[in-house]
Amino acid sequence: ELGNYRHFMQKEIHEQPRALADTLHDAVAGESLMPELFGFEAAEVFSRINAVTILACGTSFHAGKVASYWIEALAGIPCRAEIASEYRYRDSVPNPDALVITLSQSGETADTLAALNHAKALGHQYTLSICNVPESALVRQSKLRFLTRAGPEIGVASTKAFTTQLAALFLLTLLLAKQRGRLTPAAEAAHIQSLRELPGKVQHVLALEPEVERWAERFADKQHALFLGRGMHYPIAMEGALKLKEISYIHAEAYPAGELKHGPLALVDKDMPVVAIAPNDTLLEKLKSNLQEVRARGGELYVFADADTHIAPSEGIHVLQLADHAGPLSPILHTIPLQMLSYHAALQKGTDVDKPRNLAKSVTVE
Ligand code: M6R
């Protein structure tokens, strides 16, 4: 079943072009998107809602965080992502006109299921599940659904489930934007075209594995690492840090780069590798000055940059160029090298990559 791969995680990382193509297959067949991709009642629900709440755990929560940037920016709808185990136990203000989205690879995560039931008990009727397992409890209990087609994910560390969730959430964002008259037919066609090109672009980033592997060798003896991103790439930094912790047991933290000088800069020295996600977006110049702050304290920088950022490597600044900026789909492409970095750091350390200690694939108990 593993073919030429050493672990399921590696196999699943490399399956992402196929997983994304399958997940997007129906959506990108024509020149326009249909709400029915999310269920036959979706058009009506989308026209009624005035807010979006996304509930999930772990990696799925990070996908929700990225979507909260997309949905507010492109569809103009207030959106927040919340950790399911927090939402289920706090006194929140219900909004019966909110769309409540649960995100889950397995569809059986206890906290996410409980959060859905909590939302329903509070009077939320518009529920959507984005899930990788068709017959799961979460899918059965939601009004609307979108099934990602990642295929079975065996590695405990979630990879292809995450990027396919992002693809589904981007489709949702476009549909909500369209419903609100914020998407011209030309813009819609252009987004569909970028989605068609996405699997090929992911393949291109996967080809950087040998270089990422060389970087990973430098992480294996480290105790800590910092991951920096800004805007919609901050959740990608969170995802990179989670992957590294989970399978290589290296303590990793993610920060929005603008927060550095509010505390974490005190941690930076030559033994703290700092990973930076550097897309060519409107925050690039801000990010560059954050990187200078790190460099001035002797921190070793590992920068995953879009090719068109023209960030040059120099003393203490390692730069890996991905491709030219991919616009709103950039978070998907920037996820790939972070998955490969944690995989190869774990290989160096000799940990059990597919079954890291203390963790289960599906967290079906609280
Ligand atoms: O099946 P789910 O997506 O609901 O699982 C949620 C988390 O348990 C899961 O994403 C976890 O954080 C992964 N092991 C991370 O790689």
Side-chain angles (χ1 to χ4, degrees):
E1 242 192 293
L2 270 174
N4 291 328
Y5 297 105
R6 290 179 67 180
H7 296 95
F8 282 107
M9 182 182 180
Q10 189 188 29
K11 178 170 181 261
E12 289 159 5
I13 288 173
H14 283 271
E15 280 172 353
Q16 288 176 110
R18 195 273 310 146
L20 285 163
D22 287 356
T23 298
L24 292 165
H25 180 271
D26 297 347
V28 302
E31 293 308 307
S32 91
L33 297 170
M34 307 301 283
E36 288 68 30
L37 288 165
F38 288 80
F40 70 94
E41 291 165 299
E44 198 199 326
V45 171
F46 293 170
S47 71
R48 288 179 189 268
I49 57 156
N50 63 11
V52 178
T53 297
I54 304 178
L55 305 171
C57 302
T59 287
S60 294
F61 167 69
H62 297 154
K65 283 275 291 181
V66 173
S68 68
Y69 285 86
W70 281 338
I71 290 173
E72 294 218 346
L74 300 175
I77 302 174
C79 178
R80 69 193 164 85
E82 185 164 348
I83 290 175
S85 58
E86 287 294 307
Y87 176 79
R88 66 180 287 198
Y89 288 122
R90 82 182 171 89
D91 295 323
S92 54
V93 181
N95 170 5
D97 296 322
L99 174 64
V100 175
I101 306 177
T102 48
L103 295 177
S104 176
Q105 187 287 126
S106 60
E108 304 291 346
T109 300
D111 280 321
T112 309
L113 268 169
L116 173 62
N117 289 323
H118 181 68
K120 285 190 190 171
L122 290 176
H124 290 103
Q125 48 169 330
Y126 303 132
T127 57
L128 160 66
S129 157
I130 295 177
C131 188
N132 197 39
V133 180
E135 63 281 6
S136 62
L138 210 58
V139 172
R140 279 185 273 120
Q141 293 173 27
S142 302
K143 187 181 182 83
L144 304 179
R145 69 209 47 193
F146 184 99
L147 297 173
T148 49
R149 296 194 189 144
E153 194 180 60
I154 312 280
V156 164
S158 186
T159 53
K160 59 180 182 170
F162 177 69
T163 45
T164 53
Q165 281 171 348
L166 286 176
L169 287 161
F170 190 67
L171 291 176
L172 176 72
T173 304
L174 294 179
L175 282 165
L176 292 174
K178 186 173 166 178
Q179 202 283 329
R180 274 149 181 78
R182 293 173 66 117
L183 193 65
T184 62
E188 182 176 4
H191 282 302
I192 292 174
Q193 185 53 26
S194 340
L195 287 167
R196 286 191 194 114
E197 291 165 9
L198 182 64
K201 289 191 175 169
V202 169
Q203 197 69 58
H204 173 86
V205 180
L206 285 168
L208 300 171
E209 185 163 11
E211 284 157 273
V212 178
E213 185 176 355
R214 276 195 292 281
W215 280 15
E217 286 164 17
R218 309 174 65 131
F219 277 70
D221 63 340
K222 297 290 189 296
Q223 303 294 316
H224 308 276
L226 210 55
F227 284 70
L228 303 178
R230 296 190 73 126
M232 63 175 81
H233 294 81
Y234 166 47
I236 300 304
M238 295 168 78
E239 174 58 9
L242 176 62
K243 286 288 97 91
L244 194 68
K245 284 187 264 229
E246 186 176 25
I247 59 165
S248 75
Y249 315 151
I250 296 170
H251 170 227
E253 292 294 334
Y255 272 92
E259 271 291 293
L260 263 185
K261 53 167 82 72
H262 299 285
L265 203 50
L267 291 168
V268 173
D269 64 10
K270 64 177 181 22
D271 295 320
M272 170 75 93
V274 179
V275 176
I277 302 164
N280 189 15
D281 62 12
T282 52
L283 293 166
L284 181 65
E285 290 311 312
K286 302 270 178 212
L287 179 79
K288 281 184 182 166
S289 43
N290 301 141
L291 300 188
Q292 288 311 323
E293 291 161 7
V294 170
R295 204 44 218 137
R297 274 83 185 173
E300 192 100 352
L301 278 161
Y302 295 86
V303 186
F304 291 103
D306 286 347
D308 46 9
T309 58
H310 306 297
I311 298 178
S314 58
E315 171 76 25
I317 309 188
H318 312 274
V319 181
L320 196 67
Q321 291 192 341
L322 273 60
D324 285 354
H325 186 52
L329 294 176
S330 170
I332 299 181
L333 294 179
H334 275 273
T335 301
I336 312 294
L338 303 181
Q339 297 169 342
M340 297 193 291
L341 182 69
S342 63
Y343 174 71
H344 285 286
L347 273 194
Q348 290 288 320
K349 294 197 64 177
T351 57
D352 188 347
V353 172
D354 284 335
K355 287 196 175 64
R357 66 186 181 198
N358 309 340
L359 298 177
K361 178 64 185 162
S362 256
V363 186
T364 52
V365 291
E366 199 183 329

